[in-house]
Amino acid sequence: MQPRDLSDHVAYEAGRGIEEVARELDRDPSTFVKLASNENPHGPSPAATEAIRETASSVSSYPKAAHADLVAAIADRWTVEPKQVWLANGGDGAIDYLHRATLEPGESILVPTPGFAYYGMSARFHHGEISEYPLSTDDDFAQSAEDILEAYDGERIVWLTSPHNPSGSTISLSEIERLAEETTDETLVVVDEAYGEFADRESATALLEGRDGFDARDDVAVLRTFSKAYGLAGIRLGYAVVPEAWADAYTRVNTPFAASELACRAGLAAIDDDEHVDLTVETAREAREYMREAIDAHVWPSEGNFVLADVGDAAAVADAMQRRGVIVRDCSSFGLPECIRITCGTDAETNRAVDTLNEVLADLDLETDGADADAEREVPDT
């Protein structure tokens, strides 16, 4: 007995953790800084931490009340109806729910490349097909309705990532509106706003409810997560905000009690912890600006809690930085073998990352210059 054929499924490559790298290099974990997974450098919301402690003794119960309370709080945040909020086990769970609710076997989704691998993975789990639209280094990964529509061929879901991972580019609400208008009635445009708190842009939830001068739409959905700005990545808590007509599908596609009691209580506390979110966002903005100014390589503008840098040989640079105690993301798995992604850390972490990267780049330049000189000396006279 074997599982079904999974040969066309691509495994998700997560950023490497400190414990893993420290064991590999036989080093003390405390000597490392991890800036590879876009985690919150200030840790979880303190309010959420306290809520988790208080909730620990009640985890023998299913999270029915906590689930309803958190859904209501999220709905209030975005001025939607509670039934439009699909709570999930991380943003990944919300991706699965949308695919379950949308895809018939053989139907397609349209995703950005480079982009988040799980869009395609999830679609394949649900027997869907994948089409891609390119985002290019040549124009700083700019996202526009026109470019996406050139690749569009009636797919059931068009995935947008704003801010985009790994580049940090965004797409405006007017462009999202145009895309929704020019795709068919059977296409849902989903905007993944996992890094939305870090961007100086209005959420695409405005398109669902007709806020800010936009007409209300029934063909746009939005993804959000508590992993980044709220610092709850280990809790696994995310959600989708869907058109009102989609609301009833949730109970038919979600897993029972889609978020745990601990996750719901942590989310309820974190959603009102504005002080923690404000500190996190300000830290990211300062770190992005500093890295763009101080890194001795091209760094793209970003509205996420990370930056993407063109370092020539991502694998070599990431390995050299790792050996010097700074873990960053080699973006070869995104199809960008020349780029690394660096998470915005605390001031000290960001400074260390910049200094280490510049040292590595200088050393690699010296090695290259030396190799070139040796090659020239080896050329015989004619």
Side-chain angles (χ1 to χ4, degrees), residues 175-376:
E175 288 294 288
I176 298 170
E177 182 182 50
R178 178 188 168 190
L179 184 61
E181 287 177 348
E182 297 189 26
T183 51
T184 73
D185 292 341
E186 296 302 310
T187 294
L188 180 69
V189 176
V190 185
V191 188
D192 185 344
E193 295 180 346
Y195 302 96
E197 288 84 0
F198 301 99
D200 188 20
R201 288 184 180 271
E202 178 68 27
S203 169
T205 54
L207 297 175
L208 279 81
E209 292 304 295
R211 301 193 309 270
D212 303 326
F214 293 98
D215 294 331
R217 305 202 63 88
D218 62 0
D219 54 0
V220 173
V222 176
L223 253 63
R224 284 265 172 165
T225 181
F226 284 84
S227 294
K228 311 303 181 183
Y230 296 100
L232 300 181
I235 285 290
R236 309 308 301 129
L237 180 63
Y239 59 92
V241 181
V242 303
E244 197 163 352
W246 287 60
D248 291 343
Y250 181 57
T251 57
R252 293 170 172 80
V253 298
N254 74 321
T255 55
F257 305 105
S260 72
E261 176 75 8
L262 288 177
C264 289
R265 293 299 176 190
L268 268 169
I271 199 169
D272 290 324
D273 193 349
D274 295 336
E275 182 178 354
H276 184 71
V277 172
D278 290 346
L279 172 63
T280 299
V281 170
E282 183 60 27
T283 297
R285 288 175 176 167
E286 292 176 354
R288 291 186 319 224
E289 182 178 350
Y290 177 67
M291 285 193 280
R292 288 205 71 208
E293 292 174 351
I295 289 175
D296 295 334
H298 178 70
V299 177
W300 281 274
S302 171
E303 292 197 61
N305 67 337
F306 53 85
V307 298
L308 184 72
D310 185 343
V311 296
D313 185 339
V317 170
D319 180 69
M321 291 185 70
Q322 182 173 279
R323 294 181 182 280
R324 300 183 192 205
V326 179
I327 306 170
V328 297
R329 184 64 183 263
D330 170 3
C331 288
S332 297
S333 63
F334 286 92
L336 298 169
E338 70 283 6
C339 296
I340 61 170
R341 191 190 65 198
I342 309 171
T343 302
C344 297
T346 62
D347 290 347
E349 291 170 341
T350 299
N351 289 341
R352 181 177 173 187
V354 169
D355 291 345
T356 302
L357 174 55
N358 287 342
E359 290 168 3
V360 166
L361 291 173
D363 289 349
L364 290 177
D365 283 344
L366 286 173
E367 291 176 9
T368 301
D369 291 344
D372 290 344
D374 289 343
E376 290 180 5

Side-chain angles (χ1 to χ4, degrees), residues 32-300:
F32 288 87
V33 170
K34 180 189 175 187
L35 298 175
S37 298
N38 301 339
E39 294 156 338
N40 193 316
H42 299 296
S45 154
T49 300
E50 183 60 29
I52 291 169
R53 291 195 187 99
E54 294 176 354
T55 305
S57 62
S58 63
V59 295
S60 56
S61 299
Y62 290 111
K64 190 169 183 179
H67 188 286
D69 291 346
L70 179 56
V71 165
I74 294 170
D76 183 65
R77 172 62 58 94
W78 300 117
T79 61
V80 297
E81 294 298 318
K83 62 184 179 180
Q84 293 178 254
V85 177
W86 289 11
L87 212 57
N89 179 34
D92 310 335
I95 292 170
D96 283 337
Y97 293 161
L98 287 168
H99 285 158
R100 290 180 197 176
T102 307
L103 294 177
E104 296 285 355
E107 291 184 329
S108 295
I109 66 170
L110 184 62
V111 303
T113 181
F116 185 35
Y118 195 71
Y119 302 143
M121 292 172 64
S122 174
R124 290 189 180 96
F125 296 157
H126 296 90
H127 304 282
E129 304 293 334
I130 317 301
S131 301
E132 298 178 335
Y133 63 90
L135 300 181
S136 172
T137 58
D138 295 338
D139 58 2
D140 295 336
F141 301 93
Q143 301 186 62
S144 72
E146 182 176 357
D147 289 342
I148 298 168
L149 287 166
E150 285 184 6
Y152 173 71
D153 189 26
E155 286 82 5
R156 289 283 277 140
I157 293 180
V158 175
W159 284 97
L160 310 177
T161 315
S162 184
H164 172 251
N165 179 20
S167 74
S169 72
T170 57
I171 184 168
S172 69
L173 294 192
S174 60
E175 288 294 288
I176 298 170
E177 182 182 50
R178 178 188 168 190
L179 184 61
E181 287 177 348
E182 297 189 26
T183 51
T184 73
D185 292 341
E186 296 302 310
T187 294
L188 180 69
V189 176
V190 185
V191 188
D192 185 344
E193 295 180 346
Y195 302 96
E197 288 84 0
F198 301 99
D200 188 20
R201 288 184 180 271
E202 178 68 27
S203 169
T205 54
L207 297 175
L208 279 81
E209 292 304 295
R211 301 193 309 270
D212 303 326
F214 293 98
D215 294 331
R217 305 202 63 88
D218 62 0
D219 54 0
V220 173
V222 176
L223 253 63
R224 284 265 172 165
T225 181
F226 284 84
S227 294
K228 311 303 181 183
Y230 296 100
L232 300 181
I235 285 290
R236 309 308 301 129
L237 180 63
Y239 59 92
V241 181
V242 303
E244 197 163 352
W246 287 60
D248 291 343
Y250 181 57
T251 57
R252 293 170 172 80
V253 298
N254 74 321
T255 55
F257 305 105
S260 72
E261 176 75 8
L262 288 177
C264 289
R265 293 299 176 190
L268 268 169
I271 199 169
D272 290 324
D273 193 349
D274 295 336
E275 182 178 354
H276 184 71
V277 172
D278 290 346
L279 172 63
T280 299
V281 170
E282 183 60 27
T283 297
R285 288 175 176 167
E286 292 176 354
R288 291 186 319 224
E289 182 178 350
Y290 177 67
M291 285 193 280
R292 288 205 71 208
E293 292 174 351
I295 289 175
D296 295 334
H298 178 70
V299 177
W300 281 274

